[in-house]
DNA sequence: CGCACGGTTGACACGACTCAATTGCTGTGG
DNA sequence: CCACAGCAATTGAGTCGTGTCAACCGTGCG
């Protein structure tokens, strides 16, 4: 991957939910960061930490993992800042853990505070980031609460694909899955054995393949249907009717002028 | 209840998570509001709404209820502002619904924006409000994901008690429960029939009574133990070791006399 | 007074869990 | 280069929690 340009990951992510000006992008280029590589199932932040910087995920996946039985409450993809709220209060309620190898850029809290003061636009974009984070949590509660395990797994995969595509990844509906089936099970609140059977069923239904640490969606429409996936809650700006066939080459703001 | 002092409810809530100065409280007194009464299972906000004001709950309970099977993703008590995030983006992903009768004060977005500009302290307090909202969502995911139904119900009740007490209500561990057992079931993602059996079990275990629309906790310690309840995630300032035996002696607005 | 709704109870079905054993893969050291 | 360790994936069998269905009761309200 393109090391050394951590800020572009953040820019991509912010652009996916808000329109940024040239000046905003210029501000982002000044982002100071310390880049760190983590291996599988590492703890990036412990519950007891009181960080003074945020984690910008550059590559791989992170999740909040609970102390107790290891329930995963949220998954993050490159461009996300899982702990952005620590800029306000550094108290953590879970461990920030890798799912597979991951690359993280640590960015001082003060940087986010500064750009918020300098650009109301960036301030709003960062607020939107936390709002969509909360929206995803609510969506996940709906999932755990009201859908059966096949739907849950399918929905999680749909969400990951949509979010990867929003930052320019997985355009061909293939993406690395360095996490284990047990990880997926923890996220979906099912047992590892059952998760395995669900995945087999998804394979049998010909909607995806999962081999050599890579997932390939073979029938996106069918998967979305199985999952009852309606990506509105992700707050992305340019979802096409066909659900994420976006081309990021074109100017970042086609229409999406709806008041937000 | 003391009508006409909607702002005191907000002041109580903000005080429970942040320290406010005299000036901050003075600013809050200027809060404009339109007070509205709702009956049971009313929709305060529809998914399709694009509100330009927030809902400050004064009395009763509200919840976000999903379109589909009516899964409840979050419950609110007096002093809460369930839709505070709409000040940034008015898009909703669920219906804001009453659980029993409720009284709501509608407060223009612009008021929150103004006080955020005038007082960094209030700005922070409002940010903390959304952060704890998200923390509760994560906690609820843990609940749905990793605990059995008895624990889930017990945990929800513990949380409600703790949050009521944080704003000066339910000090004697008794509080109105105008919601139905089905509502509780929707929140805990179990069937109404099963919810009923769980409640009976809680009664049998002598930890609470639930009659004539009132819940009375008879053994708070035992209930907390059953629930695995650790209230840190609520972000409250003054939790005593014994879990919420707080005395609000220093209360800046000691009004809130009557039951909610 | 009676209807409607919330609460209660029992019987039965099924999805998901656990336990346990086996296979397959990957990396590593002899 | 192979053997082995260790982990992930896979499979089967039996169990249990929770859901569904259906009936019944109690009570508040029109």
């Amino acid at each position: 991957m393109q090391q050394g340009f951590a800020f572009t990951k953040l820019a991509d992510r912010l652009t996916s939910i808000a329109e940024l000006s040239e000046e905003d992008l210029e501000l982002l280029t000044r982002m100071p960061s310390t880049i760190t590589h983590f291996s599988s199932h590492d703890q990036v932040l412990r519950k007891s930490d009181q960080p003074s910087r945020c984690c910008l995920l550059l590559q791989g996946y992170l999740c909040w993992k609970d102390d107790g039985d290891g329930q995963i409450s949220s998954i993050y993809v490159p461009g996300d800042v899982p702990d952005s709220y620590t800029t306000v209060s550094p108290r953590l309620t879970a461990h920030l853990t890798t799912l597979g190898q991951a690359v993280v850029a640590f960015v001082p809290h003060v940087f986010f505070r500064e750009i918020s003061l300098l650009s109301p636009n960036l301030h709003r974009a960062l607020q939107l980031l936390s709002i969509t984070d909360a929206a995803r949590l609510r969506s996940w509660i709906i999932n755990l609460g009201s859908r059966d395990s096949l739907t849950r797994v399918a929905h999680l995969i749909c969400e990951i694909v949509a979010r990867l595509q929003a930052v320019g990844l997985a355009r061909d509906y293939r993406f690395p899955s360095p996490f284990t089936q047990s990880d997926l099970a923890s996220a979906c609140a099912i047992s590892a054995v059952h998760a395995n059977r669900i995945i087999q069923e998804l394979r049998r239904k010909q909607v995806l393949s999962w081999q050599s640490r890579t997932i390939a969606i073979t029938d996106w429409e069918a998967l979305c249907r199985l999952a009852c996936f309606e990506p509105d809650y992700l707050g992305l700006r340019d979802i096409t009717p066909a659900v994420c066939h976006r081309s990021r080459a074109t100017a970042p703001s086609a229409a999406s002028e709806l008041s937000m």
Side-chain angles (χ1 to χ4, degrees), chain A residues 58-61 75-78 99-101 157 160-161 164 169-180 209-217:
Chain A
L58 300 180
Q59 195 176 90
Y61 304 90
I75 288 183
Y76 296 92
V77 302
L99 294 171
Q101 294 190 335
I157 292 173
I160 291 174
V161 171
L164 286 174
L169 302 170
R171 291 186 218 180
D172 54 355
Y173 294 94
R174 308 181 92 259
F175 56 99
S177 53
F179 39 80
T180 66
S209 74
W210 178 339
Q211 47 192 320
S212 51
R213 319 250 116 182
T214 300
I215 293 177
I217 312 296

Side-chain angles (χ1 to χ4, degrees), chain A residues 124-149:
Chain A
R124 205 181 99 85
L126 290 170
Q127 282 186 310
L128 280 176
L129 209 55
S130 0
I131 286 177
T132 57
D133 207 60
R136 282 201 310 276
L137 292 174
R138 267 188 218 98
S139 157
W140 198 241
I141 288 176
I142 304 298
N143 248 282
L144 293 185
S146 65
R147 310 215 238 259
D148 66 19
S149 48

Side-chain angles (χ1 to χ4, degrees), chain A residues 70-183:
Chain A
Q71 170 74 34
I72 291 172
S73 61
S74 205
I75 288 183
Y76 296 92
V77 302
D80 281 332
V81 185
D83 58 345
S84 65
Y85 69 87
T86 58
T87 55
V88 179
S89 164
R91 300 177 66 216
L92 303 178
T93 55
H95 306 290
L96 187 61
T97 307
T98 59
L99 294 171
Q101 294 190 335
V103 183
V104 170
F106 288 102
V107 181
H109 285 167
V110 67
F111 172 74
F112 291 103
R113 282 196 274 266
E114 275 171 6
I115 62 174
S116 291
L117 289 175
L118 292 172
S119 161
N121 205 31
L122 274 176
H123 180 58
R124 205 181 99 85
L126 290 170
Q127 282 186 310
L128 280 176
L129 209 55
S130 0
I131 286 177
T132 57
D133 207 60
R136 282 201 310 276
L137 292 174
R138 267 188 218 98
S139 157
W140 198 241
I141 288 176
I142 304 298
N143 248 282
L144 293 185
S146 65
R147 310 215 238 259
D148 66 19
S149 48
L150 179 77
T151 314
R152 293 220 283 258
V153 173
H155 196 282
L156 178 54
I157 292 173
C158 279
E159 182 179 312
I160 291 174
V161 171
R163 289 166 64 191
L164 286 174
Q165 294 194 339
V167 291
L169 302 170
R171 291 186 218 180
D172 54 355
Y173 294 94
R174 308 181 92 259
F175 56 99
S177 53
F179 39 80
T180 66
Q181 295 186 356
S182 295
D183 292 330

